[in-house]
Structure formats: structure tokens, C-alpha cells
Amino acid sequence: MKSIAIIPARFESTRFPGKPLVTIAHKTMIQHVYERSLQAKNVAEVIVATDDARILQAVQAFGGQACMTSPLHRSGTDRVAEVAASSDADVIVNVQGDEPLIDPEALNAVVEPFQSDPSLMISTLSVEGTDGELDNPNVVKVVVDHDGFALYFSRSPIPFFRDPSPTDGDNRRFLKHVGLYAYRRTFLARLATLRESYLEKAEALEQLRFLENGYRIKVVNSTYQSLAVDTPEDLERENAYIKMNLVAILAP
């Protein structure tokens, strides 16, 4: 089984224009994401999917692979699907281009379920939620069945603790969704035929479209804590974190 990682990257971000090309520890953010993704043992190659020539040239300058895609795509998943259509890979990992500290083991974990389940179309990750996150609508929660398949994703608190014990405090156990996905390549080809769904529009969560159309999503629980850069303030925090943790976390 061949798996590859595709990193969708656009220059015109609403909150942070030019984000993929900002410098972190002497490299562009997209280079950090690329090189760390390439360390995953379950990934045969890495490709950046972009609609901007500046990002294409930056990736090629450090020796990476990049493909130009249509500027009309509404989501990163659509951009990934365009590149995947010309690939011979069995599994495609959709890696967010704004996580310069992406853990290669997270990519390995999201690919592994496909090795034992030929019917699986989608997998993703979760981590144990922490105090204060359950009620935060910017933190997506997920509940799963006994086999680790998603029952639902929500910005609301799920599960809802109707009768919490006074001794629980904020230590109510729940799972936080990590937005790293792996898809069977054949499934990506079907994405264009799936219309935006009611629950997807209500929660602004694309993965609910998959559930509403009857596709099972395998959720692998991990210890990976995402550190995405969505705003210039996030970039400052990321740089501060790196300075405080002077280890080989950024070395390929």
C-alpha cells in the first residue's frame, strides 16, 4: 500500500496573508511542514498543492515537490483531491500547511488503519481534551463508538454531562478532534459529488458531510497536540515556543 502526503497551501489567507512563506527558525513555514512530513515512515512522498507561483517557487527552491492547482477550489481538501487524481497512491494524507511542528508519528498513526481495513475510506486523529476546552466552540469535539469510529463531531460540548459529580470539576473526559486526515484516493474522487450537508453548514465542519453520506470515519486517539499558526499572534507564540524548547524538533 502506497501512501503520500499532500499539503494544500494558499497565499491569500484572510487572517494571515502570505502565511506559508513566513520565516520560522531560518526556514519558511511550508518548508518545515514539508520536511517533517517527509520523516513519516508510512509516507512515500510529499507534495505541496498550491495556486500561487510564489509558494511553488519557494518549495522548488528547497528541493521539494509542488503542483499548481486551480484557484477556484473552495477548500484545501478540493485542492488535495486535484493533485491526488494524478497519483498512483492508495492513501492520501491531507497535511495542514500551517503546522510547522507537525509530528511525523501523527502521519504514521492516521495511515495505519488502512493497512488492516480495506473498506476504510477516511481516518483522522483525536487527543484527550484538557480543562477549559469542552465549552470552547473553536475546539472541535468528537464522540466515537467502541470500535473507534466517529459518531459525531461538534463545536458544542459532547458528550453533555447532565449530572456531573461535584468532584469532577473541569476534569470531564472528552476527545478533541485533530484536523489531520487520511483518505483512500478513490474516495477523494467522489468528494466532488457530495453536496454540502445540513449538519456541515450548521456546525461549519466538513467532516459531517462524510458522516451524513454514510461514510465511516476512523478516529485514532493519539498524544499529538496541534500547534497551528492561524494568525500573526500564533506565529509569535510558535517562535517563543521554539526558543524555549531548543531541541531538534525542527531538524529534518
Side-chain angles (χ1 to χ4, degrees):
M1 187 185 74
K2 180 180 178 180
S3 304
I4 67 171
I6 300 179
I7 307 168
R10 58 191 294 267
F11 192 91
E12 299 300 335
S13 169
T14 303
R15 289 183 290 179
F16 197 169
K19 182 170 61 173
L21 300 184
V22 298
T23 300
I24 301 174
H26 311 297
K27 295 180 182 179
T28 60
M29 177 151 56
I30 194 66
Q31 183 173 355
H32 284 302
V33 178
Y34 187 98
E35 291 177 346
R36 290 185 66 80
S37 298
L38 203 57
Q39 293 178 53
K41 63 180 177 61
N42 287 343
V43 170
E45 63 179 320
V46 179
I47 304 170
V48 174
T50 184
D51 62 352
D52 193 281
R54 288 165 290 188
I55 296 175
L56 177 78
Q57 292 164 5
V59 174
Q60 291 175 338
F62 67 73
Q65 292 189 74
C67 290
M68 288 293 290
T69 60
S70 168
L72 303 178
H73 292 311
R74 294 182 300 173
S75 71
T77 307
D78 293 331
R79 203 174 303 286
V80 168
E82 180 184 337
V83 175
S86 59
S87 170
D88 63 350
D90 302 288
V91 174
I92 310 294
V93 185
N94 182 348
V95 179
Q96 298 301 310
D98 58 4
E99 295 197 25
L101 297 180
I102 183 74
D103 187 351
E105 287 303 320
L107 277 69
N108 291 333
V110 83
V111 168
E112 284 177 1
F114 291 89
Q115 297 172 352
S116 58
D117 187 349
S119 68
L120 185 64
M121 293 292 157
I122 318 159
S123 69
T124 190
L125 297 182
S126 68
V127 296
E128 297 290 331
T130 58
D131 293 353
E133 291 182 320
L134 183 61
D135 296 309
N136 185 347
N138 294 318
V139 175
V140 178
K141 278 71 66 173
V142 59
V143 286
V144 300
D145 65 17
H146 289 300
D147 294 318
F149 287 93
L151 296 171
Y152 193 64
F153 297 84
S154 183
R155 298 182 184 279
S156 296
I158 54 172
F160 176 77
F161 295 89
R162 192 188 71 170
D163 300 309
S165 167
T167 60
D168 285 346
D170 288 327
N171 297 317
R172 295 167 291 178
R173 183 181 179 275
F174 68 96
L175 295 178
K176 178 173 66 173
H177 178 229
V178 176
L180 178 69
Y181 291 94
Y183 303 98
R184 189 81 60 180
R185 183 174 57 84
T186 51
F187 170 77
L188 280 173
R190 302 176 202 167
L191 274 180
T193 67
L194 301 180
R195 293 183 178 180
E196 236 185 338
S197 67
Y198 172 75
L199 293 174
E200 174 189 9
K201 288 187 283 188
E203 298 252 20
L205 295 175
E206 184 182 38
Q207 61 269 39
L208 294 177
R209 185 190 315 181
F210 310 150
L211 291 183
E212 283 194 84
N213 280 277
Y215 293 100
R216 298 191 308 164
I217 302 176
K218 182 71 173 182
V219 181
V220 181
N221 201 26
S222 72
T223 59
Y224 173 60
Q225 292 289 346
S226 171
L227 288 172
V229 177
D230 292 320
T231 66
E233 292 74 25
D234 291 337
L235 179 61
E236 291 179 10
R237 285 193 291 270
E238 197 98 356
N239 275 312
Y241 175 85
I242 291 169
K243 289 177 182 178
M244 291 175 60
N245 297 269
L246 296 178
V247 294
I249 55 174
L250 291 175

